[in-house]
Amino acid sequence: MNHTARPARIAVLASGRGSNLQCLLDGIATGQLQAEIVGVFSDKPAALALQKVPSERRWARLPRDFESREAFDLALGDALDACAPDWIICAGYMRILGTDLVQRFNGRLVNIHPSLLPLYKGLHTHARALAAGEAEHGASVHFVVPELDAGAVIAQARVPVLAGDSPESLAARVLQVEHPLLLASVQLLLSSRLTEQGGVIQLDGHSLFSPLRLDSAGTLA
């Protein structure tokens, strides 16, 4: 007897408006992703991302209400465990995850970052790219490790830096490629074709020594 595989369970960490979360929800609604969003977790109770899922799938706490960073991470980790996610996607989550939390979910944590890693880890990536005179900028999807924005990069999308760009105009152009990049990367993760071993991405059993790139059709190659 054939059984339909259950949808993958995805938890999302977000601190802002949730545009990348909406991209995942749209992918699920159109059948591009065989998945369900089992919870949205935030360090900002007012984050608009939380409003995109029913109240029973929301978890938000202010870090300052906890006695330590470790106590907040423990509460977040317990809440994540309670929804039994297959994958945890950091989509605009602006708080650094502690080592214990990362190790607790090792191999299941993925982040989308607005730069062409390893360039411009951390914040203010668009302004820093402009200040450096870069000809290209973009976004990366990578596995999360304890070191900031240092995990193995799965895929990247690139945009040109144009004359007269401001950090805001460049950010808007990057955001346009972030959504298809995240969707294509999550599709690949859910296919079980892609894994990470020892800091190296494996695709169909073969090591990738440079990130996959998103083409104009929204396909990774």
Side-chain angles (χ1 to χ4, degrees), residues 45 60-68 71-72:
R61 303 289 188 275
L62 285 170
R64 67 169 179 258
D65 291 340
F66 292 79
E67 62 183 17
S68 65
F72 177 87

Side-chain angles (χ1 to χ4, degrees), residues 154-179:
I154 299 166
Q156 294 180 326
R158 297 170 181 263
V159 299
V161 177
L162 304 179
D165 258 335
S166 66
E168 293 75 21
S169 65
L170 184 55
R173 194 175 311 113
V174 171
L175 189 63
Q176 291 179 344
V177 299
E178 275 189 36
H179 296 162

Side-chain angles (χ1 to χ4, degrees), residues 7-50:
R9 298 173 63 83
I10 295 176
V12 175
L13 275 59
S15 299
R17 63 188 182 275
S19 66
N20 278 308
L21 168 60
Q22 187 62 56
C23 165
L24 296 177
L25 289 167
D26 292 344
I28 291 168
T30 59
Q32 294 172 277
L33 293 178
Q34 301 303 310
E36 60 178 327
I37 304 298
V38 295
V40 176
F41 301 80
S42 185
D43 59 333
K44 298 183 182 299
L48 294 178
L50 294 162

Side-chain angles (χ1 to χ4, degrees), residues 94-152:
M94 302 306 292
R95 183 177 173 81
I96 295 173
L97 301 178
T99 297
D100 288 347
L101 182 62
V102 171
Q103 292 178 342
R104 182 171 178 175
F105 299 101
N106 183 49
R108 289 189 282 155
L109 271 166
V110 176
N111 180 51
I112 184 162
H113 180 74
S115 81
L116 296 173
L117 292 172
L119 297 175
Y120 312 117
K121 300 173 182 179
L123 300 175
H124 311 301
T125 62
H126 312 301
R128 290 158 65 195
L130 289 173
E134 300 287 359
E136 281 188 314
H137 191 43
S140 305
V141 174
H142 66 97
F143 282 95
V144 177
V145 297
E147 184 182 348
L148 178 66
D149 297 327

